Amino acid sequence: MRKKVACVVGARPNFMKIAPILEALEPYSEEIGCRLIHTGQHYDERLSSLLFRQLELPEPDMYLGVGSGTHARQTADVMVAFEDDCLREKPDATLVVGDVNSTVACGLVSAKLQIPVVHVEAGLRSRDRTMPEEINRIVTDALSDLLFTTCREADRNLLAEGVPAGKIHFVGNVMIDSLRKFLPKSRPPAVLERLPDRSRFGAITLHRPSNVDDPSILRNLLGAFADISERLPLVFSTHPRTVTRLKELGHDEVDVLAEEGTRLGDSHVWLTPPLGYLEFLYLLDHATVVLTDSGGIQEEATVLQTPCLTLRENTERPITLEQGTNILVGRDPKAILEKLEFILSNGFPEPKIPEKWDGNSSAEIAQILAEWLRKQPGN
Ligand code: UD1
């Protein structure tokens, strides 16, 4: 009997993870029917539809339309809507990716309905429970029946938490599958035309509440960016949360954010609206350095061999520190400037590409998932 798998996405970083998995499951379409569910956690054209088109994702089979809210409200809204969908559609498994609120919400609904949960990108741990994603990771992994990991350390984390070894499969990194597929199609964002030298710039992304919600922290970071931009022009792909905070700090220039860049004050920091996946890949690939508080970008920078200064105190992706191009710099402007100086003058030692980050992770997931589903009783 054909098995039905509910494949869940909610926020931007989910889309590049689900795309290669859906593609890898296509050859199994006689035995596995995938239903793509978009919770609507991210709903903007630039955070959602644009990426769907660029990643060649099919239209979602179901759009839950939950939108923004507090953590409890957003998680609860996803749960109520997804439960209705599960009761109607009766999937044989739910596949969730990453660590966003939609991931944990759908994992919890499924587990309570006794629908097995498959988690892709399991086992990452920052050990920092002030980070909402860490709570999402721990809970989702505890609920999951099949866990796919990106690195050996994630396996060890799961084993230490009592997850049986038989449930864990180290397959590598599906986000890197997308990166390898789409890098040849990447294209320069319009903002690069503003720069005196299109091959010499830094890239910035910043959206964590811990970096943007406290005005003094954000002001300090903006000061550091402005200082850096005296030596190296910076392109800042913004996030809606950050735009709101910039406006609160009196940066009215964000009212007219344009593709070709809007200057932050009188600095050489060029603000853009959220870039598309293809434009962002180009930016990351050609940047001298990236400054970010994202999780996934630490991994993408490692594979693209772009030095990455992570504006956080910890990371759930330590493999990018040990083998890749990532350096944790926190958010102290002095430390950020020092590390940047160091990279500009000394370059960066050649990083290693982590094991199995080779573009074949989704194919391995599809094979393991198909075998596992054959053994599951059908609904
Ligand atoms: C979410 C994820 C985070 C991920 C990030 C990538 C959680 C807990 N966080 O954070 O792990 O790194 O996505 O972007 O799941 N907003 C819009 N348009 C949208 C979506 C959001 O304007 O399409 C604004 C709203 O004001 C909203 C705020 O952004 O309140 C935050 O959105 P939310 O989905 O709660 O979390 P992110 O900060 O995007």
Side-chain angles (χ1 to χ4, degrees):
M1 201 181 60
R2 195 167 182 248
K3 299 282 172 54
K4 284 202 270 187
V5 180
C7 298
V8 176
V9 290
R12 181 168 59 178
N14 296 156
F15 306 145
M16 46 294 256
K17 294 172 192 165
I18 209 76
I21 298 174
L22 292 181
E23 194 182 342
L25 283 168
E26 271 167 25
Y28 298 87
S29 61
E30 282 191 1
E31 53 179 317
I32 303 173
C34 291
R35 221 166 147 265
L36 181 60
I37 320 266
H38 187 334
T39 66
Q41 176 174 346
H42 281 179
Y43 46 85
D44 277 2
E45 155 71 19
R46 286 184 159 273
L47 291 189
S48 180
S49 316
L50 173 63
L51 280 96
F52 259 66
R53 289 195 299 276
Q54 292 195 345
L55 288 157
E56 299 161 18
L57 273 164
E59 284 291 309
D61 296 287
M62 175 52 86
Y63 186 73
L64 304 179
V66 300
S68 301
T70 63
H71 281 273
R73 197 169 291 283
Q74 187 178 60
T75 308
D77 286 349
V78 175
M79 287 182 69
V80 171
F82 186 61
E83 186 183 56
D84 283 346
D85 192 66
C86 285
L87 291 172
R88 251 191 331 265
E89 295 294 329
K90 301 195 180 354
D92 296 288
T94 295
L95 184 147
V96 294
V97 298
D99 56 13
V100 302
N101 285 345
S102 301
T103 309
V104 69
C106 295
L108 192 49
V109 166
S110 290
K112 292 257 177 122
L113 292 174
Q114 294 175 35
I115 298 165
V117 180
V118 179
H119 187 202
V120 176
E121 201 186 83
L124 297 181
R125 296 291 180 267
S126 65
R127 323 266 169 224
D128 175 2
R129 291 201 186 185
T130 64
M131 199 179 170
E133 292 81 359
E134 181 72 354
I135 297 169
N136 295 344
R137 291 179 203 115
I138 293 168
V139 175
T140 306
D141 287 340
L143 299 169
S144 293
D145 299 273
L146 189 58
L147 301 96
F148 292 109
T149 61
T150 55
C151 58
R152 305 256 179 213
E153 182 166 359
D155 292 26
R156 289 193 288 275
N157 291 336
L158 293 170
L159 292 169
E161 288 173 22
V163 178
K167 290 184 175 182
I168 306 169
H169 298 268
F170 166 50
V171 292
N173 195 326
V174 291
M175 205 182 53
I176 304 305
D177 292 3
S178 274
L179 182 151
R180 293 190 188 280
K181 174 174 173 187
F182 288 102
L183 191 60
K185 295 186 185 170
S186 69
R187 53 195 187 207
V191 60
L192 291 187
E193 282 157 31
R194 299 272 203 162
L195 308 184
D197 175 354
R198 283 176 53 167
S199 64
R200 201 178 161 279
F201 64 89
I204 305 174
T205 79
L206 192 76
H207 74 284
R208 299 245 162 249
S210 54
N211 277 336
V212 304
D213 284 358
D214 178 331
S216 68
I217 292 176
L218 180 57
R219 219 179 273 118
N220 280 341
L221 286 171
L222 296 177
F225 299 157
D227 285 351
I228 292 168
S229 76
E230 294 296 315
R231 293 206 45 203
L232 182 70
L234 296 173
V235 174
F236 188 160
S237 171
T238 59
H239 179 282
R241 173 193 289 281
T242 312
V243 169
T244 306
R245 300 294 176 243
L246 287 171
K247 176 105 179 116
E248 285 165 9
L249 288 188
H251 283 286
D252 289 338
E253 59 270 38
V254 297
D255 286 339
V256 285
L257 273 189
E259 285 262 0
E260 58 274 17
T262 304
R263 235 167 136 153
L264 178 74
D266 55 4
S267 73
H268 299 280
V269 178
W270 292 94
L271 301 164
T272 69
L275 292 178
Y277 182 62
L278 299 177
E279 289 77 12
F280 191 73
L281 275 188
Y282 185 98
L283 196 75
L284 199 53
D285 192 27
H286 291 81
T288 308
V289 61
V290 58
L291 298 112
T292 188
D293 60 3
S294 152
I297 292 171
Q298 300 167 45
E299 300 180 334
E300 291 168 330
T302 279
V303 172
L304 295 171
Q305 314 209 335
T306 301
C308 175
L309 299 185
T310 295
L311 308 168
R312 289 169 43 187
E313 306 296 334
N314 50 54
T315 177
E316 63 288 340
R317 292 162 161 93
I319 195 167
T320 60
L321 302 172
E322 293 147 15
Q323 301 187 14
T325 55
N326 192 16
I327 305 175
L328 277 184
V329 287
R331 37 176 126 92
D332 169 28
K334 200 163 152 264
I336 298 169
L337 287 166
E338 272 173 21
K339 285 290 180 210
L340 187 98
E341 275 308 320
F342 181 82
I343 286 171
L344 291 183
S345 6
N346 300 301
F348 205 88
E350 186 128 318
K352 273 200 246 161
I353 305 294
E355 188 185 353
K356 287 204 188 190
W357 291 21
D358 55 6
N360 297 315
S361 304
S362 315
E364 200 174 336
I365 288 177
Q367 195 190 349
I368 296 169
L369 181 62
E371 240 166 71
W372 178 82
L373 279 169
R374 281 177 212 130
K375 296 184 203 139
Q376 302 296 309
N379 271 335

